[in-house]
Amino acid sequence: MSILSSPVELWQRITQAGGVRAYIDGQLKERGYLVERRDVDDMSDREKDRYKKELKQEAAERKKLNKEAWAAYKTAHVVCLGEGVWWSDEAKHDKWDTPNSEERAAENELPSLDSPKQLAEALGLTIGQLRGLCYHRDAAISLHYARFTIPKRDGTQRAIWAPKKKLKAAQRWVLHNIVERLPTHGAAQGFLVGRSTVTNAAAHANSRVVLKMDVKDFFPTVTWRRVKGVFRRAGYREQISTLLAMLCTEAPREVVELEGKTYYVSLGPRCLPQGAPTSPALTNALCLRLDRRLTGLANKLGWRYTRYADDLTFSLPADAKDTPPDPLIKLVTQIAAAEGFTIKAEKTRLARSGRRQTVTGLVVNRDLPPRAPRKLRRQIRAALHNLKAGKPLPEGESLARLQGYAAYIYMTDPKLGKKFLDQIAGMPTGG
């Protein structure tokens, strides 16, 4: 920018001039490069040569100004979001807009976001930075996520994609200012203030039968288009909904080494990553209709229903008439499919009152508060006793893990949990 300090200022001048073409023509005239078009038939050879030279100079200067204008345009416009993502910088209403969208957003006390510029400013980003966080590449050489794995209960590894600092800050803003304000159903027990594994389990205490079902590939099933639908229904238009959906999703990827370079290759559409702060709360908003339908079904058949993330729990109260679970299982599977989810049939579990009944890890047999399994309490007691006697912890155990177990017990039995936590706190850190 030869006469301006920044592309942002240049775009302001272009806008004031009435657009790129008007600005460039004005600059060419001001700088003496704009050539008046004339008929060459009556020109001498010398005049023709001079005229051609002037046109070349004008063309070169116009090309330079166009390049500067394009750079300035990109500071104020998203332009594109990568492969397979439709984008238009022209903000307009379309048939998919939620009726009375502004009123719906206001009812949920959502921030007014009418343009990418407003969203970028709310996030403390430039348009270029916002575009960079949202941009999709099928084969990327770098990501805004760090990948690591944690062991699952079945012994396999679960891939966690943790957002890096700048993206995480943007996602946290979206979570606190938008997603947490979206309506959710009372049956949702996970990742909501005042609800937990304890409240989830408490809803199923003293049951004749406890039925547990799992949703298969829960987060990967929630693609970026479904996430965009959540924001559209919340009251945001196409542009903002697309940007918010891209901020909250990433494609499942495989790491590939090729000719000395590392590529992160997309294995499917962008979806909710396990590790993003927005993912759990978005599933609660997305599952609003699923929870409504399953609650209605459970009530009709005399059962109770709650959902903790991808764990669906149904229970038949102890004083209810015994009802076969097969019709319920069949209808739950059908409703889940209609809502875009698949039930993992091999994980469906049924526990009658004569056996131990657990919900999200807590025992719910009889008319008692949820409690940690006896085996876990004994395990902690034994480990603490051995540590006190100078014996090492079993392989794979650590004080940190014991502290986590003790905190888990504290949720349902504060007296015992505090006793364990105090004992752990008194242990030498090298134990």
Side-chain angles (χ1 to χ4, degrees):
M1 261 31 33
S2 55
I3 62 173
L4 295 168
S5 60
S6 73
V8 174
E9 292 177 355
L10 174 56
W11 184 251
Q12 291 174 349
R13 289 190 55 175
I14 290 172
T15 303
Q16 292 168 0
V20 173
R21 185 178 183 85
Y23 169 79
I24 290 177
D25 286 345
Q27 287 296 303
L28 290 172
K29 185 176 181 180
E30 182 180 316
R31 301 179 190 187
Y33 286 102
L34 190 61
V35 180
E36 182 183 351
R37 269 43 179 182
R38 307 191 301 274
D39 190 349
V40 298
D41 291 342
D42 298 329
M43 291 184 185
S44 65
D45 290 342
R46 179 177 293 181
E47 287 173 329
K48 286 180 182 179
D49 289 341
R50 185 168 60 248
Y51 183 59
K52 289 179 181 179
K53 184 178 180 181
E54 290 172 350
L55 290 175
K56 281 186 178 181
Q57 289 176 330
E58 179 194 308
E61 190 66 15
R62 185 180 292 276
K63 183 178 180 180
K64 177 184 173 184
L65 289 167
N66 262 312
K67 185 177 180 180
E68 292 177 353
W70 175 244
Y73 181 88
K74 290 195 291 184
T75 65
H77 299 82
V78 173
V79 183
C80 69
L81 289 175
E83 298 140 317
V85 183
W86 183 86
W87 178 264
S88 171
D89 278 310
E90 182 183 354
K92 57 184 179 180
H93 295 259
D94 63 39
K95 65 179 181 178
W96 303 111
D97 285 337
T98 300
N100 305 315
S101 56
E102 288 80 5
E103 290 85 346
R104 177 172 291 193
E107 285 174 5
N108 292 326
E109 299 183 344
L110 303 183
S112 176
L113 299 171
D114 297 323
S115 69
K117 182 182 178 183
Q118 275 187 305
L119 176 59
E121 289 174 349
L123 296 173
L125 303 171
T126 65
I127 287 290
Q129 289 171 331
L130 176 61
R131 177 173 56 244
L133 291 179
C134 297
Y135 202 90
H136 175 76
R137 291 180 177 85
D138 285 335
I141 58 174
S142 65
L143 294 178
H144 297 292
Y145 289 85
R147 183 184 184 276
F148 61 93
T149 61
I150 58 173
K152 296 165 66 174
R153 282 180 293 181
D154 61 6
T156 60
Q157 295 294 313
R158 185 190 306 278
I160 304 296
W161 293 88
K164 295 179 181 177
K165 185 176 180 181
K166 186 171 289 187
L167 177 58
K168 188 174 184 178
Q171 290 177 341
R172 286 199 180 281
W173 187 93
V174 174
L175 173 65
H176 298 317
N177 291 277
I178 300 176
V179 182
E180 288 182 339
R181 301 181 183 184
L182 299 178
T184 58
H185 196 273
Q189 296 294 316
F191 319 107
L192 292 164
V193 176
R195 305 184 204 179
S196 64
T197 55
V198 178
T199 60
N200 186 53
H204 302 283
N206 198 29
S207 297
R208 179 187 290 270
V209 183
V210 172
L211 170 66
K212 296 190 289 187
M213 305 175 75
D214 278 14
V215 177
K216 183 179 180 181
D217 297 330
F218 190 46
F219 281 7
T221 301
V222 184
T223 63
W224 76 272
R225 295 184 188 279
R226 296 182 73 177
V227 176
K228 183 169 79 167
V230 170
F231 292 118
R232 297 289 309 251
R233 288 191 295 276
Y236 290 118
R237 302 200 183 280
E238 170 72 21
Q239 283 185 323
I240 297 301
S241 296
T242 298
L243 290 168
L244 291 172
M246 298 298 281
L247 279 173
C248 297
T249 57
E250 179 54 86
R253 294 181 183 271
E254 182 177 353
V255 182
V256 176
E257 300 288 339
L258 182 64
E259 297 179 352
K261 281 189 175 182
T262 301
Y263 294 91
Y264 301 90
V265 181
S266 169
L267 299 177
R270 292 172 73 100
C271 57
L272 293 180
Q274 294 208 23
T278 41
S279 293
L282 276 168
T283 60
N284 283 336
L286 183 78
C287 288
L288 177 61
R289 191 169 67 177
L290 172 70
D291 291 336
R292 281 175 179 164
R293 295 183 68 181
L294 292 182
T295 298
L297 172 66
N299 290 341
K300 184 177 179 180
L301 298 179
W303 292 69
R304 300 173 292 198
Y305 162 71
T306 63
R307 180 182 58 80
Y308 191 95
D310 57 351
D311 294 332
L312 313 181
T313 305
F314 300 84
S315 62
L316 192 64
D319 57 358
K321 180 182 177 181
D322 197 9
T323 305
D326 289 350
L328 176 64
I329 293 172
K330 181 179 179 180
L331 289 170
V332 169
T333 303
Q334 291 175 354
I335 289 173
E339 295 296 327
F341 296 104
T342 302
I343 297 298
K344 196 184 298 182
E346 66 274 17
K347 293 290 289 288
T348 297
R349 297 287 184 270
L350 194 69
R352 296 191 176 274
S353 55
R355 298 170 51 194
R356 190 181 71 168
Q357 298 169 325
T358 60
V359 176
T360 44
L362 298 172
V363 178
V364 296
N365 291 77
R366 304 195 305 275
D367 190 13
L368 297 171
R371 57 254 183 227
R374 186 179 303 168
K375 180 180 179 182
L376 178 61
R377 300 197 298 268
R378 287 176 174 172
Q379 179 183 334
I380 296 177
R381 283 196 183 96
L384 292 175
H385 176 77
N386 288 338
L387 279 174
K388 193 174 181 179
K391 297 178 182 179
L393 288 170
E395 186 177 351
E397 277 297 5
S398 66
L399 276 179
R401 282 174 65 90
L402 288 178
Q403 192 172 34
Y405 293 146
Y408 182 65
I409 291 173
Y410 182 86
M411 290 193 303
T412 58
D413 189 339
K415 184 177 179 180
L416 179 60
K418 186 176 186 304
K419 179 182 176 181
F420 286 154
L421 288 169
D422 288 345
Q423 289 179 11
I424 293 169
M427 295 287 177
T429 56

